[in-house]
Structure formats: structure tokens, C-alpha cells
Amino acid sequence: MTKNDQNNEIAIDCFLLAGRIMMESGAETYRVEDTMLRMARSQNLEDAQSYVTPTGIIFSLGRTQPTRITSISTRITDLHRITLVNNVSRKLTSHIITLEEAYDELKKIQRTNYFLPIIIQVLAASLASSCFLVMFNGLWSDIPVAFVAGGTGLYVVTVIHAMTRVKFFSEFLAALVVGTIAFFAVQANLGTELDKIIIGSVMPLVPGLLITNAVRDMMAGHFTAGMAKGAEAFLTAFAIGSGIALVLSF
């Protein structure tokens, strides 16, 4: 293998890793493609082509180079990781760092867990649920119930997803728990407005980023990715609604 071929192999590995990290962290499809192509052109690889979907990335440096494929098996929301990859891309395109240094930084980003401890995440979800309750004109006296229900819902979805790896099942169970807590709290006169409590408590589970990305991809012309993300957002909303509906039906 010639030195040029070795450099091309490193380049493909680097660009695919950047795209994979971004897609797994919840980035828009068009942003991933644009980032990969900008990184390639910074290395004078003008014939590079990329095709990104929510479940995989196809990348090629040109007709004379082999096409590489990488699969996307997990998708979470980690905007900090997306920002870090964008920073690496900007430094590479500005020639502040070399391709090898960029690849090393990306591997470090992939290995590092940037999520806060679960207790901090639960506390943040509890506070967010309480704030959403107030925003939806709920009673201030219902804040403690929304605080507990929202935090518990996020904890359940995190634990169940880690155990089963089935996204929609974990969201269904989390919504079921949220609805149950809200219902029995109102029955025990610990809360007043059941609907406002439920709405505020399920907000941390709502797929807001998915819906936003689906619309942005559709507007950018990535109809396949936009429809796929839209379908995923619909299934998530359906799972949440089903969990709440099951509680209310009894």
C-alpha cells in the first residue's frame, strides 16, 4: 500500500467517525453530510461524496477509491458531542490541526461519556417538569407532584432502555409510571389538575429534537431522512400517549 493510499484510509476513517458520532448524537442529516464534505475538501479531496441516513453512512473519496459504509445502531441526544465534532471540523478546515490529530480527537470524543450523573439528569427533568406545569397555567400547589412524576419518568426511561434496548417500550413504561403517579396523587388530594400535571411531567420524554431535525432535513431536501425521523418521532409520541391513555382508561 502506498503512502497516498494510507493517507486516504486515514481520511475515510476520520470522516466516517465524525459523521457517525454526529448521527449517534442526534445531529441533522444535512449537517452531517456538510461536515464530512468540508473536512474532505480541506484535504484537497474534491471528489468526495457522502450519503447519510439515520441508520447508516456511505462515503467515498471518488471513483478510484473504495466506498466505505458504517452503520448507526444507536441514536441519543448529546448536543455537546455534536459541538465538539464541529470544533474539530473547523480546526481541520482552518488547518490548525492535521488529519491525524483530528482523528485522534474524534476517537477521544467517541470514547468519552459526556452525560451528567443520572441523579443530576433526574433533578433537571424534575425541575423542567415543574416549570412546564407553570408555563401551561397549572396550579403552583401541583408543582411537587409534577416534580416527582417528571423525575421518576426520566429515571424509568433511562433504566428500562439500558436493560432492554427497546426505545419505544421504555418510553411507554415511563409514560405509564408518570400517569400512575399523577393519577394517584390527585386521588389522594396531593394534586388538583390531573391534565396539567401529566402534560408537564411528560415533557422531558417528548421527542422535540427528533421533530425539529425531521422538519429541518425535509426543508433541506433530505426527504428519506426527514420521513424516517418523523416516523421515529411519531412512534415515540404514540408510545407516550399510549402509556398515559392506559392509565386514564382505568
Side-chain angles (χ1 to χ4, degrees):
M1 181 181 293
T2 64
K3 184 177 181 180
N4 185 55
D5 290 335
Q6 291 178 343
N7 291 337
N8 287 341
E9 286 294 318
I10 295 175
I12 294 177
D13 289 338
C14 179
F15 306 151
L16 279 176
L17 182 57
R20 180 174 182 177
I21 294 173
M22 294 184 72
M23 283 304 298
E24 289 179 342
S25 302
E28 306 95 320
T29 302
Y30 75 89
R31 185 190 299 275
V32 176
E33 287 189 354
D34 181 67
T35 299
M36 295 175 69
L37 292 178
R38 284 178 183 270
M39 294 174 71
R41 287 162 187 160
S42 71
Q43 304 302 306
N44 298 318
L45 301 171
E46 300 294 337
D47 294 331
Q49 296 290 330
S50 67
Y51 178 73
V52 180
T53 71
T55 56
I57 300 174
I58 302 174
F59 186 82
S60 174
L61 292 182
R63 295 181 179 179
T64 60
Q65 299 294 328
T67 299
R68 294 274 295 278
I69 301 173
T70 186
S71 62
I72 309 298
S73 56
T74 59
R75 287 176 300 278
I76 58 175
T77 300
D78 193 342
L79 301 182
H80 181 59
R81 236 179 214 190
I82 298 174
T83 301
L84 292 176
V85 174
N86 282 333
N87 288 337
V88 173
S89 172
R90 292 189 185 98
K91 288 192 290 186
L92 181 64
T93 54
S94 300
H95 303 289
I96 299 175
I97 59 176
T98 64
L99 182 65
E100 290 77 10
E101 290 173 336
Y103 189 33
D104 290 337
E105 287 193 31
L106 290 172
K107 287 190 289 187
K108 181 180 178 181
I109 294 172
Q110 186 185 39
R111 291 192 303 265
T112 306
N113 180 14
Y114 295 99
F115 276 106
L116 294 173
I118 183 63
I119 185 65
I120 303 298
Q121 296 181 46
V122 170
L123 180 60
S126 298
L127 292 174
S129 299
S130 303
C131 293
F132 278 119
L133 174 72
V134 175
M135 189 178 72
F136 291 128
N137 295 322
L139 299 176
W140 286 81
S141 59
D142 289 337
I143 287 180
V145 180
F147 185 92
V148 173
T152 305
L154 183 71
Y155 179 77
V156 170
V157 75
T158 302
V159 172
I160 298 301
H161 185 263
M163 294 171 57
T164 63
R165 297 295 176 184
V166 181
K167 183 174 182 288
F168 306 114
F169 179 68
S170 60
E171 291 163 343
F172 169 78
L173 287 182
L176 186 67
V177 170
V178 168
T180 301
I181 293 174
F183 176 78
F184 282 109
V186 172
Q187 291 295 310
N189 294 322
L190 299 175
T192 304
E193 297 180 328
L194 178 62
D195 55 341
K196 302 291 179 58
I197 295 173
I198 290 177
I199 293 172
S201 300
V202 300
M203 287 305 292
L205 306 177
V206 172
L209 183 65
L210 265 179
I211 297 173
T212 302
N213 286 354
V215 173
R216 294 186 69 174
D217 279 335
M218 292 283 285
M219 293 177 65
H222 292 261
F223 299 111
T224 302
M227 292 294 290
K229 291 181 179 179
E232 185 177 356
F234 171 78
L235 290 175
T236 296
F238 180 78
I240 296 172
S242 298
I244 297 299
L246 185 61
V247 174
L248 297 181
S249 64
F250 289 103

